[in-house]
Amino acid sequence: MRGPVDLFGQSLQPSMRQFEELATRQGYRQVAGVDEAGRGPLAGPVVAAAIILPPGVDLPGVNDSKKLTPSRRDKLFDLIHSRAVAIGVGIGDHLLIDRINILQATLAAMGQAVNALSLPPDYLLIDGISCIPLSIPQRTIKKGDSASISIAAASIIAKVTRDRLMAVYDRQYPGYGFAEHKGYGCVSHLAAIASLGPCPIHRTTFRGVKEHVKGER
């Protein structure tokens, strides 16, 4: 019999649950997937999400947020919120990024997201190779957003949350195109920085911005 399918008729890979099932067999009960969005942009925050899903939850279509269209992400954002046991979000703003660097700001945002969960997790599955500085058992997974359903769900929550924040910033700081490129260093964004100068949410330590900070060469 065919397994669960996504909103577009494509099969959900059973392997997306392998890490959660392994943790459960090891005795863990509240397994949280953790991921982030926004490490690469020149402006705005890095946003992290942590999610605890019920065992065997049906989330057809959930995958790495980068592989999904904006409309699919929006639909899945609502679906995940309706079925998750707990969701936490953490934000590392541009000031924190400039002060402690993007990796440390990302880990701080991930820690915030975990601590924001209404149900304390006893095990973490983290996208990437860096552990979060928390005293909770955890496992890092390269490309985890394509291998773990809870990490994939967290990637969608983080991405949609950040995209919506950047749409707000687009209205506050017109002329940069934040609603379109979300702060990434595309040609039009770099041209806007060169023409207008950095705005208050630009990351002044990033190449493409720092060259235009007053007093910098």
Side-chain angles (χ1 to χ4, degrees):
M1 185 171 71
R2 189 180 183 188
V5 296
D6 67 15
L7 301 176
F8 306 91
Q10 298 178 338
S11 296
L12 177 65
Q13 299 177 18
S15 62
M16 288 287 281
R17 296 188 176 90
Q18 63 180 321
F19 293 104
E20 288 80 3
E21 292 172 353
L22 176 59
T24 299
R25 290 197 297 271
Q26 293 173 338
Y28 297 105
R29 292 292 174 264
Q30 307 301 338
V31 180
V34 187
D35 202 1
E36 52 73 29
R39 288 185 64 166
L42 307 181
V46 59
V47 176
I51 297 182
I52 299 175
L53 298 173
V57 64
D58 186 19
L59 288 175
V62 166
N63 204 330
D64 174 6
S65 65
K66 296 184 292 297
K67 298 179 180 178
L68 304 171
T69 64
S71 62
R72 289 190 190 185
R73 286 195 296 263
D74 284 338
K75 290 180 181 179
L76 290 170
F77 180 91
D78 294 336
L79 180 65
I80 292 164
H81 268 280
S82 72
R83 298 186 180 177
V85 172
I87 296 177
V89 172
I91 295 177
D93 67 15
H94 61 287
L95 297 174
L96 182 68
I97 292 168
D98 284 337
R99 182 164 60 85
I100 65 175
N101 77 45
I102 184 59
L103 173 58
Q104 296 306 317
T106 298
L107 296 177
M110 286 181 164
Q112 290 175 27
V114 171
N115 288 329
L117 289 166
S118 58
L119 183 65
D122 57 6
Y123 194 77
L124 306 177
L125 296 172
I126 305 164
D127 182 59
I129 60 174
S130 301
C131 289
I132 302 172
L134 295 174
S135 57
I136 301 172
Q138 51 194 275
R139 175 175 184 167
T140 59
I141 305 170
K142 289 183 180 180
K143 298 183 179 179
D145 45 12
S146 295
S148 157
I149 189 170
S150 58
I151 293 177
S155 78
I156 292 169
I157 297 299
K159 174 64 174 170
V160 173
T161 300
R162 186 180 189 279
D163 284 357
R164 291 177 180 179
L165 285 173
M166 295 308 294
V168 173
Y169 285 132
D170 184 68
R171 295 191 291 271
Q172 293 180 355
Y173 306 107
Y176 295 95
F178 291 140
E180 179 180 354
H181 53 64
K182 308 303 187 291
Y184 284 87
C186 63
V187 172
S188 63
H189 187 193
L190 293 172
I193 296 170
S195 174
L196 303 173
C199 79
I201 64 163
H202 275 104
R203 303 174 183 179
T204 58
T205 56
F206 276 44
R207 182 179 298 176
V209 178
K210 63 182 179 182
E211 299 91 333
H212 302 284
V213 175
K214 188 175 181 180
E216 295 288 335
R217 291 186 176 181

